[in-house]
Amino acid sequence: MIKVLAIDDEPLALQQLTAYIGKVPFLELVEACQSAADAMKVLEREVIDAIFVDINMPDLNGMDFVKSLVMPPLVVFTTAYSEYAVEGYKVDAVDYLLKPFGLQDFQRAAMKVKTRLEERTPAPTASAAEEDDTLFLKTDYKVVRVSISEIRYVEGMSEYVKIFLDGQKPLVVLLSMKKLEERLPASAFMRIHRSYIVNLAKIREVNKNRVIMDADTYLPIGENYKDAFAAYLDSRFLGKK
C-alpha cells in the first residue's frame, strides 16, 4: 500500500480529498491534516510515500512546506489558483490538481504517484538476486529482505503480488507478476497460471490440473501454462506413466 497524507485547511475540501483517497485501492490514508504544522508532526513519526497538499493555507502554505522538507515524499498539489502550476513543477511535484477536481482527475494523479514510486524503487536484477539468493521488497512502510529459496509461491492480485514464505506471514507487495517473474530464477520457479508462480522445489504433488503445495493449498494449472509445466514434469519423470 502507498501511505499518504491529505493536507488542506478547508474542512470540506479535506473531507472530499480523504473520500477520494478511500476510493483508490492502492492508497492508504495515514492521516488528514488541516495545517502544515500538523503534517510535519506526522512525518516525524511515520514513513509517508506521498502527500496531497493544498497550496493556499495560512501560516505556512503548501509550497513553502514542501520546500522546507529535507527528503519530501512524492507531492501532488491541490489549489484553486492555476498560476501556481509552474511553481509546483519546479519542486518536482508529481501532479497538480486544480479545484474543483473530480474523482477521475484524482485517480489519474494517484496513478502517477504509483508509477513514480515504482520507478524510484526498482526491484533487484535477476543476476543480483541469484548471486546472494535474496530480494529486497517494499511492503507497507518497510523494505524487507526475502530469501528466494524461502518463497513457496506467489499469487497475483491486480497491481499487487502476495508472496507466501516458509514459516512466515505472506507479504503483499506493490509489484506486477511479470516483473517478479523476470527476477526469480527460471531454474527454480515457474508460472503455472495467470495468477500463480510456484517454487518448483516446494511442490508436494500434482493431481490432474492442480499443483498441491500442502494439505490446504491447491493451485490451478492454467490452460496457457499446461504444456510448459508438463514438459518440466516429463524432464524429471522416472518410471512408467
Side-chain angles (χ1 to χ4, degrees):
M1 297 291 281
I2 299 174
K3 293 183 175 291
V4 302
L5 286 184
I7 311 167
D8 200 308
D9 64 303
E10 298 178 7
L12 289 179
L14 186 60
Q15 183 178 352
Q16 182 190 56
L17 186 57
T18 57
Y20 285 168
I21 291 171
K23 293 180 183 295
V24 179
F26 54 80
L27 296 184
E28 178 184 341
L29 179 65
V30 175
E31 199 157 329
C33 305
Q34 286 191 260
S35 71
D38 290 342
M40 187 71 77
K41 293 176 183 177
V42 178
L43 289 171
E44 288 174 354
R45 68 173 189 267
E46 299 277 356
V47 176
I48 301 297
D49 298 307
I51 57 176
F52 293 83
V53 55
D54 183 33
I55 292 178
N56 300 283
M57 297 189 295
D59 300 327
L60 182 63
N61 69 43
M63 190 70 67
D64 291 337
F65 166 63
V66 172
K67 290 178 180 178
S68 73
L69 300 175
V70 177
M71 296 183 65
L74 297 183
V75 178
V76 176
F77 284 118
T78 66
T79 185
Y81 301 93
S82 59
E83 60 266 25
Y84 285 109
V86 174
E87 190 177 356
Y89 287 115
K90 285 182 180 178
V91 296
D92 196 30
V94 175
D95 207 354
Y96 175 94
L97 291 171
L98 184 63
K99 296 179 180 179
F101 54 87
L103 178 59
Q104 287 188 341
D105 294 325
F106 180 83
Q107 288 173 327
R108 280 193 288 269
M111 282 303 299
K112 289 181 181 180
V113 169
K114 178 176 176 291
T115 300
R116 184 77 70 87
L117 275 175
E118 290 175 342
E119 293 172 349
R120 179 183 283 188
T121 55
T125 62
S127 59
E130 290 172 0
E131 282 178 8
D132 64 2
D133 188 43
T134 59
L135 294 172
F136 284 95
L137 300 169
K138 186 171 184 180
T139 178
D140 294 328
Y141 57 90
K142 301 174 293 186
V143 175
V144 297
R145 185 171 188 155
V146 173
S147 173
I148 291 176
S149 61
E150 292 182 354
I151 297 175
R152 299 179 62 243
Y153 66 96
V154 179
E155 179 180 1
M157 304 185 302
S158 188
E159 297 95 351
Y160 297 85
V161 294
K162 191 172 187 179
I163 301 174
F164 292 81
L165 304 165
D166 289 331
Q168 302 177 48
K169 291 182 179 180
L171 300 177
V172 177
V173 181
L174 181 61
L175 187 67
S176 70
M177 285 282 279
K178 183 179 179 181
K179 285 186 178 180
L180 183 57
E181 184 180 13
E182 289 172 351
R183 286 159 176 78
L184 290 173
S187 59
F189 290 83
M190 180 175 286
R191 192 162 184 174
I192 62 166
H193 187 275
R194 182 179 61 181
S195 300
Y196 294 102
I197 298 171
V198 297
N199 184 335
L200 296 168
K202 307 289 184 181
I203 295 174
R204 195 176 79 178
E205 185 179 331
V206 180
N207 189 335
K208 296 182 180 179
N209 291 326
R210 299 183 301 178
V211 167
I212 301 173
M213 306 300 291
D214 56 49
D216 300 313
T217 307
Y218 296 72
L219 306 180
I221 302 171
E223 190 66 31
N224 293 336
Y225 304 90
K226 189 179 297 183
D227 291 344
F229 187 66
Y232 163 77
L233 292 180
D234 286 344
S235 70
R236 288 157 177 78
F237 193 89
L238 294 177
K240 294 182 179 180
K241 292 186 179 181

